[in-house]
Amino acid sequence: MFRDFVVTQAGDGQRIDLFLTQACDGYSRTQIRAAVQNDGATIDGRIVRPSFRLRAGQQLRFRVPDEMTDDVVPENIALDILYEDDGLVVVNKPAGMVVHPARGNWTGTLTSALAHRFQSLSDIGGPTRPGIVHRLDRDTSGVIVVAKTNATHIHLADQFHDRHVEKEYFAITMGPIDRDRDVIDMPIGRHPYQRDKMAIREGHETSKPASTFYEVIRRCGRFTQVRVRPKTGRTHQIRVHLSHIGTPILCDRLYAGHSVVPRWMLLGESQSAAKSDIVLSRQALHARRLTFSHPQTGKEMTFEAPIPEDLQRAIDVIEGN
């Protein structure tokens, strides 16, 4: 549900999260801030962050957060199923879909779609994560495996824990990567002052070892297409590591500083002289391939998701096609 406001003189200069907390009864400032942080508020059609200062006369649209619940509500959402048997399902997750319910994202999740389509899913992860063995970020597309039974869940989870699962990602980075291939070994922990970010942190209590192998596929002027194989599975690992070497992932809101990529940015033109059409509106990261041993047969299986249309469109612009 959306609510629309016109900012009055009384709201001039006020933070948007405080303004909405006062305007929307029944929600705490923490809930409002989380909803805004998850792209829930726009000013004159532009997505803003919780710290945004309002100006009188601006048009504010706010997506009111749903009531929090511990139960997954089944929703009839289409899924791109790559493989299915009695024990597991392999899905090509679209960008923009949250894997499981969390603060600010209670509907439209992968688990809601799975609960509608399948009668039985593993319950080891708890009531909000039926079948979920591993995660992908909301704006990362690609291959994800889901367990239907607890036995399958345990077997797959052990493979992930023991690093027997091979994960390959495709990414477009900002800036040319100088080496053809390399391994980034840098510990990752919580960002010191931004709650939704991770950072390279050595010796901190939240830090964990993280290792990422990358290989350049093609350099295209100011951008690089790269193949990435994370050896560990830390939160935001690929995004943090590529940003650390000076080549953040294109259109990464947290680590590259922008949430949309217009054509003029890819072409290197001035903003005033170029068309303003948006080419990409999510981070250019795609889980392209996943390899694991089938829990029942022991056979090694590999699943691949093709490059999605939005990333291909960005590639075409960068390559001049």
Side-chain angles (χ1 to χ4, degrees):
M1 182 178 69
F2 288 89
R3 291 190 62 182
D4 294 304
F5 304 88
V6 176
V7 180
T8 63
Q9 196 63 43
D12 188 75
Q14 197 172 37
R15 280 177 57 116
I16 189 172
D17 57 350
L18 179 58
F19 175 89
L20 287 170
T21 301
Q22 297 169 343
C24 300
D25 293 334
Y27 295 94
S28 69
R29 187 173 178 180
T30 299
Q31 289 173 293
I32 295 293
R33 187 185 301 116
V36 176
Q37 188 65 44
N38 283 282
D39 301 342
T42 60
I43 294 294
D44 297 330
R46 179 168 62 92
I47 294 173
V48 295
R49 299 297 109 200
S51 60
F52 181 85
R53 297 279 178 177
L54 298 170
R55 292 291 176 263
Q58 289 178 322
Q59 301 285 329
L60 165 58
R61 166 162 279 204
F62 178 56
R63 185 174 64 242
V64 179
D66 296 317
E67 183 179 354
M68 296 184 183
T69 175
D70 287 335
D71 297 322
V72 172
V73 179
E75 296 180 70
N76 187 8
I77 302 171
L79 290 173
D80 181 5
I81 304 295
L82 300 177
Y83 173 83
E84 177 189 358
D85 62 26
D86 291 340
L88 58 87
V89 182
V90 181
V91 179
N92 179 15
K93 186 189 83 69
M97 175 181 276
V98 177
V99 171
H100 58 77
R103 184 179 55 197
N105 295 281
W106 302 103
T107 61
T109 64
L110 176 62
T111 52
S112 292
L114 292 166
H116 180 271
R117 178 152 182 168
F118 301 105
Q119 293 183 344
S120 177
L121 294 167
S122 73
D123 58 12
I124 289 178
T128 64
R129 305 186 183 193
I132 301 304
V133 181
H134 66 121
R135 294 179 60 254
L136 294 176
D137 292 339
R138 179 184 64 179
D139 288 332
T140 298
S141 55
V143 185
I144 184 169
V145 60
V146 176
K148 286 184 175 181
T149 68
N150 287 350
T152 295
H153 190 131
I154 292 170
H155 198 291
L156 288 172
D158 286 344
Q159 290 188 58
F160 276 97
H161 179 269
D162 296 336
R163 301 179 187 176
H164 294 157
V165 176
E166 295 181 14
K167 298 170 286 185
E168 181 181 305
Y169 291 74
F170 170 82
I172 305 173
T173 68
M174 299 180 62
I177 297 178
D178 55 356
R179 300 185 181 184
D180 289 342
R181 59 187 61 83
D182 199 3
V183 175
I184 306 170
D185 277 306
M186 296 296 292
I188 293 176
R190 289 291 175 187
H191 195 279
Y193 56 87
Q194 290 183 266
R195 186 177 60 181
D196 56 349
K197 291 183 67 173
M198 307 298 286
I200 301 298
R201 304 197 72 179
E202 298 189 64
H204 192 265
E205 61 181 8
T206 66
S207 297
K208 294 181 179 179
S211 181
T212 304
F213 170 82
Y214 70 82
E215 182 177 28
V216 171
I217 299 172
R218 184 174 182 180
R219 296 180 178 89
C220 305
R222 298 177 298 113
F223 305 97
T224 305
Q225 298 174 45
V226 59
R227 180 182 298 111
V228 187
R229 296 192 183 100
K231 297 182 179 180
T232 50
R234 309 307 177 203
T235 301
H236 297 181
Q237 176 174 319
I238 297 173
R239 300 163 66 188
V240 173
H241 273 172
L242 290 177
S243 178
H244 177 70
I245 65 172
T247 54
I249 293 173
L250 179 68
C251 204
D252 189 329
R253 177 179 60 83
L254 286 179
Y255 302 101
H258 56 274
S259 57
V260 294
V261 173
R263 186 175 296 271
W264 63 264
M265 183 185 293
L266 296 178
L267 296 176
E269 300 174 347
S270 65
Q271 183 174 1
S272 60
K275 295 180 179 179
S276 60
D277 55 313
I278 302 301
V279 176
L280 190 63
S281 57
R282 57 95 169 197
Q283 62 210 25
L285 183 62
H286 177 64
R288 189 168 191 175
R289 186 177 290 114
L290 188 69
T291 299
F292 56 86
S293 297
H294 193 283
Q296 293 173 306
T297 67
K299 179 182 177 181
E300 185 178 272
M301 306 182 75
T302 298
F303 301 96
E304 184 170 344
I307 300 296
E309 291 183 5
D310 58 347
L311 295 190
Q312 188 59 55
R313 184 168 60 249
I315 293 169
D316 290 343
V317 174
I318 292 169
E319 295 183 346
N321 296 330

